[in-house]
Amino acid sequence: MTDRQSNIAVVTGAGSGIGRAVAVELLRAGWSVALAGRRAEPLAGTAALVPEAASLAVPTDVSRPEDVEALFTATVERFGRVDLLFNNAGTFGPGGVPVEELPYDAWRHVVDTNLNGAFLCAQAAYRRMKEQDPQGGRIINNGSVSAHTPRPHSVAYTATKHALTGLTKSLSLDGRPYRIAVGQIDIGNAATDMTARMGTGALQANGEVVPEPVMDVADVARTVRHMAELPLEANVQFATVLATAMPYIGRG
């Protein structure tokens, strides 16, 4: 556990997948968690998994500045401060679409969610962490192994995840004077609805479609919790957690 007096987290994309797994892991460890996502019903489902814990469901579209501001205002009003932001909300966009056929609206939706949403949430968290007493906190951005190596037909997703790495580095540098630690977790093939197709086959760089191994999403959640519970004097700048045998090292 950290040396802080409180453990208050905001988790975006908390209604399913990695966000739900991380929120549940934190709640079970005694954190108070603001659950953010576009739809109220999945957020309520996440909260119901740990009913005895302190959670707050706030329907939020992270691409909308007013929604993000309302999320952090509600969190501080309920819990008093923000110690952790897990910047997780994201979308892959339309799969299997070649770059020359990708509609601009589809590109823009991925950028607005994955990059602009991450920035807006980080900015809102940063403001609270800088001003609160005691000062400081931690931001963990959900990158992807696509922040290093793309898959075929993933131009929007890959571009935003590469950009997220730059966002992480810049936020980490700018947060130093205020005890704001910023890191990134790059995840490969965690078993969620988003990766369900991996079991039946995923397009490879050589044009083949082959099944890929996946890992338990709980292993991701435990890694995020480890990063979150370090003292602010220590930071995991980048962590990569992936299914051991997936095609990443030597991909293609």
Side-chain angles (χ1 to χ4, degrees), residues 8-12 34 36 56 58-60 62 64-87 117-129 132 138-139:
I8 312 300
V10 174
V11 176
T12 67
L56 172 68
V58 186
T60 306
V62 297
R64 297 171 59 87
E66 61 271 26
D67 278 20
V68 172
E69 185 61 24
L71 165 65
F72 282 86
T73 297
T75 301
V76 172
E77 287 178 353
R78 171 69 179 275
F79 298 121
R81 58 184 287 119
V82 178
D83 296 302
L84 171 69
L85 165 64
F86 181 46
N87 232 343
F119 164 73
L120 289 171
C121 289
Q123 183 183 56
Y126 190 102
R127 288 170 176 158
R128 273 74 177 181
M129 292 171 178
Q132 63 196 10
R138 188 181 307 275
I139 299 169

Side-chain angles (χ1 to χ4, degrees), residues 87-240:
N87 232 343
N88 167 72
T91 181
F92 191 83
V97 180
V99 61
E100 69 274 17
E101 298 177 11
L102 184 69
Y104 177 71
D105 286 349
W107 163 273
R108 183 63 183 268
H109 176 65
V110 176
V111 172
D112 281 345
T113 304
N114 295 6
L115 180 57
N116 294 342
F119 164 73
L120 289 171
C121 289
Q123 183 183 56
Y126 190 102
R127 288 170 176 158
R128 273 74 177 181
M129 292 171 178
K130 181 179 177 181
E131 298 300 325
Q132 63 196 10
D133 184 22
Q135 189 180 62
R138 188 181 307 275
I139 299 169
I140 301 173
N141 293 323
N142 181 353
S144 168
V145 294
S146 290
H148 307 273
T149 305
R151 289 185 176 276
H153 306 321
S154 66
V155 63
Y157 184 79
T158 297
T160 57
K161 293 302 185 177
H162 274 65
L164 198 65
T165 298
L167 180 69
T168 297
K169 291 179 178 180
S170 189
L171 290 170
S172 183
L173 179 62
D174 291 345
R176 285 178 181 176
Y178 311 109
R179 298 187 78 237
I180 300 173
V182 185
Q184 181 170 315
I185 182 167
D186 296 325
I187 302 162
N189 286 15
T192 67
D193 291 343
M194 190 174 180
T195 61
R197 62 187 176 87
M198 299 298 178
T200 57
L203 181 63
Q204 306 298 307
N206 64 1
E208 294 181 359
V209 176
V210 298
E212 294 186 11
V214 296
M215 64 176 169
D216 191 332
V217 70
D219 295 323
V220 176
R222 284 191 290 268
T223 305
V224 173
R225 179 184 164 194
H226 168 70
M227 296 169 71
E229 292 188 342
L230 289 171
L232 291 177
E233 290 71 28
N235 188 40
V236 175
Q237 189 67 68
F238 292 97
T240 301

Side-chain angles (χ1 to χ4, degrees), residues 238-249:
F238 292 97
T240 301
V241 183
L242 72 168
T244 303
M246 70 171 288
Y248 169 62
I249 302 301

